[in-house]
Every structure is written in C-alpha cells, then in structure tokens.
Amino acid sequence: MKKITMQDVAERAGVSSKTVSRVINNEPRVSESTRKKIQQVIDELNFQPNKSAQSLAADRSLLLGLLYDNPSSAYIINLQAGVLDACNEFGYGLVIHPCENNSPDLLPKLRNLLASSRMDGLVLTPPMTENRQLLDFLDSNSTPYVLITPLNLEQSCPLVSIDDVMAARQSIQHLIDFGHKRIGLILGARERSGTEMRLLGYQQALEENNIPFDEGLVVQGDFTFESGVTAGLQLLRQPQPPTAIFASNDYMAAGVMKVASQLRISIPYELSVCGFDDTPVARYMTPTLTTVRHPVEQLAQHAGELLIRKLKKHLERSESEELHSELIVRESTGPVAKP
Amino acid sequence: MKKITMQDVAERAGVSSKTVSRVINNEPRVSESTRKKIQQVIDELNFQPNKSAQSLAADRSLLLGLLYDNPSSAYIINLQAGVLDACNEFGYGLVIHPCENNSPDLLPKLRNLLASSRMDGLVLTPPMTENRQLLDFLDSNSTPYVLITPLNLEQSCPLVSIDDVMAARQSIQHLIDFGHKRIGLILGARERSGTEMRLLGYQQALEENNIPFDEGLVVQGDFTFESGVTAGLQLLRQPQPPTAIFASNDYMAAGVMKVASQLRISIPYELSVCGFDDTPVARYMTPTLTTVRHPVEQLAQHAGELLIRKLKKHLERSESEELHSELIVRESTGPVAKP
DNA sequence: CTGAAAGCGCTTACAG
DNA sequence: CTGAAAGCGCTTACAG
C-alpha cells in the first residue's frame, strides 16, 4: 500500500502538481474541465493529501483545540461530538484539552500546547470563557478563538450561546402551568454570567403570571451535588416550603432529590424538581428527574464552524479587516421527561 | 513572536542542526558537554520542535487514535484522560474517534481517517476489540494497536485488562460478607468476553463459601438501563427473590433500583444492589449505589504507554522481530460507597 | 562524536 | 487558466 502523493495524481492527470493543489484547496481559476479530470483521478486513487506536508508548507496545523473544565462528562461528550462534526466537515483535526481554570500553570501549559501542537484556533467553554487573563493571553498571541458561553454583551469576540433567560423562563412557566406558585430557584456559581440570566428568566416568568417574587425562595449553589443538598435543605425546611424547585443543573437537582428523600417528602406528589442539562443522571434516577435539554452539541458544532470560517477570513484578508463578532442564539427546547 | 527553529538553536549553540536533532530525539552518540550546551539553549529559547516538520520528515504523525463506542460518558472521559496522560508524556497528540461498531461504513471511515490523519497507532476499546473484521483490517494495514479489553487468551496482540473474574469474585464476596446467601447476577451483553468472566467470578465466590449455585439467579442483560429493569423484574418477582443483586454495570443497577422502588422493596433494608463502574450516576442516586471502581484511567494510560513503546520498537528493529504481547492485569479496587 | 546534502509532500510567490 | 522554482523545518542516509 504505497502512499499516493499529489505528484502521482498530477502525472496521471497530465497536469502540474500545483494545479492539483488548486483543486484540493478549492481555489478559483481552474477550468471546469481540468478540475473535473483531476477530481476523477483523485477519486480513482483515493488520494488524501498529507496533512503534515500541508501544515508545514502553509504554516497552519489544520488543528482546532477544545478547552474545557467541567465535571459533567455527558456535557463534555456532547461538546466534543459537536466540534468534531465541524472538524470532520472541513478537514480539521481536534485536540482536546481538559484543564483546570484555577491552576496557576494553566497559561504556561497552554503556551506549550500552542507552541508544540500549533493549533490554528481554540474553542473555549465556561469557566475559561470568563478568564480575562487567558483571553488576554490569546489576544496578545493573536490566536483566534470562539466562545461557547452565556450571552455577555461586554464580549466583542465571536461566541455562540443559548438564551439563558429564555431557558429559565420557559422552565418556570412549565412549573407554573402545573399549578405551582411557590417555586424555589437554586442558582449556579455566582461569578458565572449565566447565573444572573437564569434569575432574570425566573423573575420574568413570575411577573408574567402575577406571582410575587420572594427572595427567600432563591438560593445560591455552585453546580455541585453537595451544594444542591445544602440548598435543598434551606428551601425545604422553611415554614412555607416551595412546592417546586428549579435547579440550575442536574447535579444540584439530584442533591435536592436526596434531601427530599431524607425528609420523607414524596416526589413528585409533594414536590416537583426540575433540573437543567438533561444528563443521563436525570434519566436513570428514581423517580425520573424533569430536566431541560441544553443543545450543547449543536452549539459546539456552530462554534467549530464559526472558528473555521474565522480562520479562513484570517487568511484571505490577512488581518486587514476587523471581524464582526457573530452571535448565534438558540432557545432551549423546554423541559423534557415528565416526573 | 517569531518562531524559533532548530537552525536558530544550532547557530546559538555553535553546532549543526543535525546535532540539535540528536538531542531532541534523545539519540545516543552525543558528547555530554554538547548535549548540555544544546539543552541549555533549547531551554533559554523555549524551543519546541515543529511537529508538522517532524512528521513529514520522519513519516510518522506523532498522533495516537482512540476508538470507542460506549454510551457511558464518564467511562469515555476517564479513558481519554488516561491516554492523554501517556500522550503528553511522550509528545504525542491524540485523535479521538467516537464510532459505531455495527455501522457498515466503520471500516471505510477508519480507512479515510488513517489516510488523512496518518495516526501512528490506535487504542481500541470494547466492542471494537472483538470486531474481527476491524482487527484484520488493521493487521493487513500493519497499523499498530493496543486493546483495552477483558483478558482473552486467544488474542496474541498487546492488551491491557482488568481481571474480570477477580473483580466479580470480590464484589460477590463483599455481599456474602454482609450475610447475603441468595445473590442475583445480571450479566452484560452475551458476546462480550468479560461476561463469562464475571459469571465465573460469581461462581467461584459462591463455591468458596459453600453456597449452592442457582441458575435462576443469573439473568442476561445488555448493559442498558432498560435491560436492568427487565432483569430486575425477573429476579425480584421470583417466589424466593434474591436479597442482593450484582449488576455488571451501573446503568443496569440503576434499572434494578427503579424496579425495587416500583415494587416497594426498600433499599438497602430489603435488598442490596451492587453496580460496576463507579459512574457519577451511582454517587448521585438516592439511595447511593454501591459500586465497584473500574480503574479505567490507569488502564488507558498503560495502554497508551504500551502503544508508544511498541511504536518505538517498531522503528528500531524495523519489524524484523515479533513483539511480545504484553499484558497488564490490574485488580479492581473492590466495592466503594456503601449503601 | 559530528556534519553536509538531499528529501519528505505540500504551498507560496512569481511568471506567463 | 497553468506551471517551474524555491522553501516550510525537520530527519534520513551517508561520510568522516
């Protein structure tokens, strides 16, 4: 199984290797007839250009990097799947990079990774999307990147995000539709920009239904199971406890369910619990957890495509023009899995 | 931030680029003094060799591929982490490749992936490790690979595995230690070689404790939550139901817990349930699931290191010598998380 | 132990 | 619209 090179294709098609290169890279200025002929030979020989040679000559690695620091493995898998889709579509490879946002050697490590792997661009997810130091480093390094993150109007760089306000509002509306009036809210980590948006969505839903806002029903969590337990206790031990609780992720919701079980509060008869993420945890719990599906895979795919497009523009216009920051807002699909 | 090349290092160190190359690749036949000097310059300049150039010149991609087809995201994350550790240690990159073992275009896709990414070797996980067609393809292609799979004596290729017999035996012993005598066993998919080993371990544990083997207590599952539900029903509706059930993974164990809840059987008072995998699902369920930790990450790291070593030998001896199949057997750590 | 030359398979920059 | 030449940054094979 000898390796087939562009040279082989060129000879067989009776053209120069440069022209083959043009066809492979979809460059214009090739007559339709030669293009056709060359494409035919490429298919016949099942020719695949050598990535290493391409990278070396064009000084781009054809590699995207994906940075994440998130305990939910289901989330990461979806994330990877989405970015991989985009990569496969455009002939890019993907370098995954689990990291620790708070580690002091995050930047040095990233520097090394960039230097050795020479990734052309990065897809960032929370909490790295809110790490100023990291973003500044990438800017100074002129490494292109795209964020997957809750909408933040202060950012001027390309990002894709779901509408967190809408997602929360829909979920709360869902609970209201089931007749709930006292609805507890467990927020995620305070520093995340998505957190206040969920609160906003919660408040909007209440307002639209003329339900007074009760501060005592809103509790701070940090996305962990344990914080869900603590928050759940705080909510359920009140003299007038909520009849429904919306948690900002499934792990915290699982924590609430644990508390409910300990307090002998029956779900869903005495308490409705709604999570956010649609992880497998939710599906396999007893009773099943109502949860909101987060279209992570599509988001990630968009992010990947956006990044690749950005890289292309980068090349064509040789940095002469500022890129518009693109924004894709997608709605959550509303709660799935009724209790 | 101009890129630093081997040439720069060579000039600054007053040697030829070839000698720098020798130092980078840890080749012998370099005097200690020059090696030191060159290393010093490398550190000063923070030089990182260009992977694309290395790949092109040496005709190896410095890339490992990881193939998996498994619904458990927690398992995959651990798998990736382990192989990544090995990759980082030896300057390799990792290409992840989620795939469908039963898809008819698995092989064509893999062929393309190999042709375009030129991965130097593959790490395979079940069920691909038992896909004869796939293995034959890789052999005919002389693509090196390492399997992470239950011990299978028919395989003559490098593999790492846990001792499934031992793992099952320990778990059952654990249940026996708690006083159980009627213990249900839910097996995984029939075609997996690990399945019969778990059965063997189960039988051994019973035998050692003089508990008669009752065929009615062994039920076939297929690793899904739903099969756990079905198997759980089958076991718990018997006239003399088991007081403990060992399921071959956590999803099936979760299924059993669901059934128990529906049948109003109290866990852990009337029934003990033990899973296998130590997924987050187990930690977050109410009541918590007893489960066996599977040292996936270490296994994966070993697999990665084994593969990289194999690639090196491949080079040195230029295929003249048959590789010994190496085998690493690690014990499970026994059940964690008491109910 | 060290080095000069050629080459890996592409793309870039330039011509025509 | 097409091509000949040079070069990307390394390693290989060969000398000495």
Side-chain angles (χ1 to χ4, degrees):
Chain A
M1 212 157 119
K2 196 188 140 291
K3 274 162 217 149
I4 296 150
T5 71
M6 240 171 59
Q7 218 24 266
D8 301 328
V9 177
E11 280 167 24
R12 185 134 167 188
V15 296
S16 78
S17 64
K18 174 62 224 184
T19 305
V20 177
S21 166
R22 285 198 176 90
V23 171
I24 285 170
N25 293 295
N26 273 313
E27 285 173 39
R29 322 207 144 271
V30 180
S31 81
E32 207 36 62
S33 59
T34 32
R35 183 184 299 279
K36 218 169 201 164
K37 175 125 183 221
I38 292 173
Q39 188 57 54
Q40 193 181 321
V41 176
I42 289 177
D43 294 341
E44 266 175 41
L45 267 45
N46 194 18
F47 167 67
Q48 309 260 145
N50 181 321
K51 298 267 187 207
S52 304
Q54 286 184 308
S55 309
L56 180 59
D59 190 30
R60 53 192 187 130
S61 62
L62 292 174
L63 250 32
L64 257 42
L66 175 62
L67 267 59
Y68 48 84
D69 174 10
N70 189 302
S72 164
S73 55
Y75 170 80
I76 295 173
I77 292 296
N78 287 331
L79 197 65
Q80 293 176 343
V83 181
L84 269 177
D85 281 345
C87 285
N88 289 337
E89 193 180 344
F90 295 100
Y92 274 75
L94 179 63
V95 176
I96 57 175
H97 191 64
C99 50
E100 288 175 50
N101 190 50
N102 292 321
S103 160
D105 48 47
L106 172 63
L107 285 187
K109 275 194 178 170
L110 187 58
R111 179 193 298 278
N112 279 340
L113 192 71
L114 283 168
S116 69
S117 301
R118 318 213 160 205
M119 297 171 291
D120 295 330
L122 297 179
V123 174
L124 304 184
T125 60
M128 264 75 71
T129 50
E130 302 184 6
N131 184 334
R132 251 293 127 223
Q133 233 187 329
L134 174 63
L135 298 181
D136 287 343
F137 167 69
L138 295 177
D139 285 335
S140 75
N141 208 20
S142 61
T143 301
Y145 56 87
V146 164
L147 312 181
I148 298 179
T149 193
L151 180 49
N152 184 340
L153 293 177
E154 288 161 44
Q155 302 282 8
S156 63
C157 56
L159 58 80
V160 299
S161 70
I162 62 163
D163 187 338
D164 278 76
V165 179
M166 172 79 82
R169 198 175 61 184
Q170 285 179 345
S171 307
I172 302 300
Q173 184 63 54
H174 177 75
L175 290 170
I176 292 173
D177 291 344
F178 270 90
H180 294 286
K181 291 200 183 320
R182 286 189 66 74
I183 301 174
L185 173 66
I186 304 179
L187 293 170
R190 192 187 311 270
E191 65 277 12
R192 298 289 188 81
S193 53
T195 293
E196 50 184 314
M197 308 200 148
R198 306 249 172 106
L199 177 57
L200 200 61
Y202 171 84
Q203 288 170 322
Q204 285 181 4
L206 293 187
E207 208 169 299
E208 281 164 16
N209 294 273
N210 296 313
I211 299 174
F213 175 66
D214 177 351
E215 236 181 323
L217 290 177
V218 178
V219 183
Q220 187 77 44
D222 64 4
F223 292 128
T224 63
F225 177 79
E226 289 71 23
S227 76
V229 170
T230 310
L233 274 175
Q234 201 174 325
L235 286 170
L236 294 173
R237 276 188 177 156
Q238 294 184 10
Q240 226 194 105
T243 61
I245 294 179
F246 174 77
S248 288
N249 77 356
D250 284 355
Y251 292 139
M252 295 195 294
V256 172
M257 292 179 77
K258 171 132 210 149
V259 170
S261 154
Q262 284 170 345
L263 298 181
R264 312 244 166 246
I265 295 173
S266 159
I267 297 173
Y269 305 105
E270 300 170 68
L271 176 71
S272 285
V273 179
C274 180
F276 193 92
D277 279 348
D278 194 27
T279 57
V281 174
R283 272 202 293 292
Y284 298 150
M285 294 217 307
T286 307
T288 310
L289 178 63
T290 305
T291 183
V292 177
R293 179 166 298 141
H294 202 128
V296 179
E297 189 169 338
Q298 291 103 302
L299 280 180
Q301 187 177 355
H302 272 283
E305 288 171 357
L306 195 57
L307 181 55
I308 293 171
R309 258 187 284 146
K310 190 177 171 180
L311 295 173
K312 281 196 182 139
K313 286 189 197 164
H314 211 74
L315 283 180
E316 285 167 17
R317 312 186 186 171
S318 60
E319 313 185 49
S320 64
E321 192 173 322
E322 191 64 23
L323 272 165
H324 304 296
S325 70
E326 292 191 50
L327 178 67
I328 298 166
V329 178
R330 322 187 106 246
E331 295 176 16
S332 81
T333 62
V336 296
K338 308 256 166 78
Chain B
M1 210 158 116
K2 195 190 141 285
K3 273 161 217 149
I4 296 149
T5 71
M6 239 170 61
Q7 216 26 265
D8 302 326
V9 177
E11 280 167 25
R12 186 137 166 186
V15 296
S16 78
S17 65
K18 173 63 225 184
T19 305
V20 178
S21 167
R22 285 199 176 89
V23 172
I24 286 171
N25 294 295
N26 275 312
E27 283 172 39
R29 322 209 144 270
V30 180
S31 81
E32 207 36 61
S33 60
T34 34
R35 183 185 300 278
K36 220 169 201 163
K37 174 124 182 222
I38 292 172
Q39 188 57 55
Q40 194 182 320
V41 176
I42 289 177
D43 293 343
E44 267 175 39
L45 267 45
N46 194 19
F47 167 67
Q48 309 261 146
N50 182 320
K51 297 265 187 208
S52 304
Q54 285 184 311
S55 308
L56 181 58
D59 191 29
R60 53 191 187 132
S61 63
L62 295 172
L63 251 30
L64 257 43
L66 176 61
L67 266 59
Y68 48 84
D69 175 12
N70 188 302
S72 164
S73 55
Y75 170 79
I76 294 173
I77 292 297
N78 287 331
L79 197 66
Q80 293 176 344
V83 181
L84 269 178
D85 282 344
C87 285
N88 289 337
E89 194 181 343
F90 296 100
Y92 274 76
L94 179 63
V95 177
I96 56 174
H97 191 63
C99 51
E100 288 175 50
N101 190 50
N102 291 320
S103 159
D105 48 46
L106 172 64
L107 285 187
K109 275 193 178 170
L110 187 60
R111 176 194 299 277
N112 278 341
L113 192 71
L114 283 169
S116 68
S117 302
R118 319 212 158 206
M119 297 170 292
D120 295 330
L122 297 178
V123 174
L124 304 184
T125 60
M128 264 74 72
T129 50
E130 302 183 7
N131 184 334
R132 252 294 125 224
Q133 231 187 330
L134 174 63
L135 298 181
D136 287 344
F137 168 69
L138 294 177
D139 285 335
S140 74
N141 208 21
S142 61
T143 301
Y145 56 87
V146 164
L147 312 181
I148 299 178
T149 193
L151 180 49
N152 183 340
L153 293 177
E154 289 162 43
Q155 302 282 7
S156 62
C157 56
L159 57 82
V160 301
S161 69
I162 63 164
D163 188 337
D164 277 77
V165 178
M166 172 79 81
R169 200 176 60 186
Q170 284 179 346
S171 306
I172 302 299
Q173 184 64 54
H174 177 75
L175 291 170
I176 293 173
D177 291 343
F178 270 89
H180 294 286
K181 291 200 181 322
R182 287 189 66 72
I183 301 174
L185 172 66
I186 304 179
L187 293 171
R190 193 188 310 268
E191 65 277 12
R192 297 287 189 83
S193 52
T195 293
E196 52 184 312
M197 307 200 148
R198 305 245 172 108
L199 177 57
L200 200 62
Y202 171 84
Q203 288 170 323
Q204 285 181 4
L206 294 187
E207 207 168 302
E208 281 164 15
N209 293 274
N210 297 314
I211 298 174
F213 174 67
D214 177 350
E215 235 181 325
L217 290 177
V218 178
V219 183
Q220 187 78 44
D222 65 4
F223 290 128
T224 62
F225 176 78
E226 290 71 23
S227 76
V229 171
T230 310
L233 274 176
Q234 200 175 326
L235 287 169
L236 294 173
R237 277 189 176 156
Q238 293 183 10
Q240 226 193 105
T243 61
I245 294 179
F246 174 77
S248 288
N249 76 357
D250 284 354
Y251 292 139
M252 294 195 294
V256 173
M257 292 180 77
K258 170 133 211 151
V259 169
S261 154
Q262 284 170 345
L263 298 181
R264 312 243 167 245
I265 295 172
S266 159
I267 296 173
Y269 305 105
E270 299 171 68
L271 177 70
S272 285
V273 179
C274 181
F276 194 92
D277 279 348
D278 193 27
T279 55
V281 174
R283 272 202 294 292
Y284 299 150
M285 295 217 307
T286 308
T288 310
L289 177 63
T290 304
T291 183
V292 176
R293 180 165 299 141
H294 202 128
V296 178
E297 189 169 339
Q298 291 102 303
L299 280 179
Q301 188 177 354
H302 272 283
E305 287 171 358
L306 195 58
L307 181 54
I308 292 171
R309 258 188 285 148
K310 190 178 172 181
L311 294 173
K312 280 195 183 137
K313 286 189 196 162
H314 211 72
L315 283 179
E316 284 167 18
R317 311 186 186 172
S318 60
E319 313 186 49
S320 65
E321 191 173 322
E322 192 63 24
L323 273 164
H324 305 296
S325 70
E326 292 192 50
L327 179 67
I328 297 165
V329 178
R330 321 187 107 247
E331 295 175 15
S332 81
T333 62
V336 297
K338 309 258 166 76

